[in-house]
Amino acid sequence: MPRASGSGRPAEQPGPPVLYEKRDAIAEVALNRPHRFNAYDTAMRDALFEALGAVADDPEVEVMILYGKGPAFSTGGDLAEFGSAPSAVAAREIRWLRDVWGRLWNLPQLTIAAVHGYTIGGGLEMMLLCDLCIADPATRMFLPETGRAMIPGVAGTQTLPRLLGTARALDLCVAGSELDAASACRLGLCAEVAPTGEVLATARARAARLCDLEPRLREATKRLVRDALDVDLSAGLRRERQWARAFARAAT
Amino acid sequence: MGEGVRPGGYMSRRKVQWTLDRGVAAISIAAGEGNRIDLEVAQQLCGVAEEIRGDTDVVVVSLLASGRHFCRGGQGGDRQVDWSGALAALAPPIVAGIQGDAENEGAELALLADLRITTPATRFRWAHLHERQLPAAGATQRLPRMVGRMRALDLLLSGRWMKAEEAEQTGLSSRCVSRRSLGAAVAAAARDLAEKGPLALRFAKEAVLAGAEMTFEQGLRLEQDLYVLLQTTEDRREGIESFLEKRKPRFRGR
């Protein structure tokens, strides 16, 4: 994994670890530990938890963009901090007490990951928890965990088989195989590969178009699609029909 | 691990053999032209799987078949023993090299691997229906989970060949190499995996395969429990220390 030392990157934390900005109906959440390739430590995870909470509670926000400041989207958990949890039991308790990934997954708004550079480990998994992804052509995606005697812990073992099937998911989660932006796009992990350096601008344009959709239809579609694989087909179809009828009635 | 090559229980003149070398259990099938899974091969596959399962030194399993074709199907008797269940029960990841034809039971055998390396002439087909049989080694269940429902039905109903290119596009093949280098490519892939955390490899495989049978929320719980369980291992500490010290890790599977 990359290190930032000596690369001319800022050596220290430039302000808060997560930046939150609202432009009209679009919330932009930026990972901001560029000197650490946006690896997240406890402080950053807590800040992200707060920022996502602000998004969830803001009825004006229709789309959220998640992106990374500096040379990378994110390299996942900061290994410098690993092993500092008092015990595995305590770590497990904290994980579910402040469920930052659950909060990202369950946002009612549409979420777009705008990724570039290293998007690996927990960083790639964060991207997979979003609804859409826009990638820079030079994005590098892989899950290095098993090489460090760990497994992915930000839902990657669950999102990937549901997106790509078990064969390719095993390749990524067990063997740590790498994907570039073009293959990720071909496989359906990315909606679009942006021109070099324009990933955020492309995500903003996409977000603006999504804001044109009727908000309740957008949210209903998001929920129907993501729950589709967790219910049997007839139950899913029934739900779709009920919701469609309800919307039709409300429209007349 | 770390000791030299040691022969597994099934020795020469067996159609299915295995050896253990630095964490890699290498299974080789040499059952004559087409490597058909007859009763004898089926029983030996079960025996080998059983032995590997009981060997805690095994980190990765590799699977190679000799000759022009990986495996061109069963021969009736194979339905009497559950060879596919025995291989599916292996916790370590399985890397298989698939050359030539992988047909019917042979194509089902290929689906039991976690990573498949193919050659340009490799082709798969599940044509059981055209031989008036229903697949019995998992094709109707594993195929849709791997390539999606529609493609699975297309393959099973038509019995058509899936060539190397389509296998790569659908993720059934992780990599395509020349026939000559297949053995070396499988060995290298197995060795790469064997450098990783032995328990992490097993748990990652379990999280993906078992998690796929649950709702997303249940799967998350499984992943998290396995993740946290790994936090209690010596290897995990070694994984972090070696990263911070910028050196290669040395894992011991505990």
Side-chain angles (χ1 to χ4, degrees), chain A residues 1 82 88 91-92 95-96 105 146-158 162 165-166 168 170-171 175 230, chain B residues 114-115 145-146 169-171 174 196-197 200 207 211 214 216 219-220 223-225 227-228 231 236 239-240 242-243:
Chain A
M1 264 176 278
F82 276 44
R92 182 172 184 270
R95 165 68 180 79
W96 294 115
W105 174 250
T146 53
R148 298 289 161 193
M150 291 180 253
I151 62 170
V154 186
T157 67
Q158 304 307 305
R162 285 166 177 80
T166 49
R168 222 183 285 268
L170 285 168
D171 205 346
D230 280 349
Chain B
D114 302 303
L115 285 171
R145 285 165 171 79
M146 295 165 117
Q169 281 165 5
T170 56
S174 328
K196 300 178 190 286
M214 304 172 178
F216 184 75
L220 279 186
E223 177 191 88
Q224 214 40 233
D225 288 350
Y227 180 86
V228 169
Q231 279 188 3
R236 144 100 174 201
I240 291 159
S242 61
F243 175 78

Side-chain angles (χ1 to χ4, degrees), chain A residues 95-107:
Chain A
R95 165 68 180 79
W96 294 115
L97 200 64
R98 308 208 79 189
D99 184 9
V100 56
W101 315 123
R103 192 169 262 191
L104 173 57
W105 174 250
N106 289 313
L107 281 180

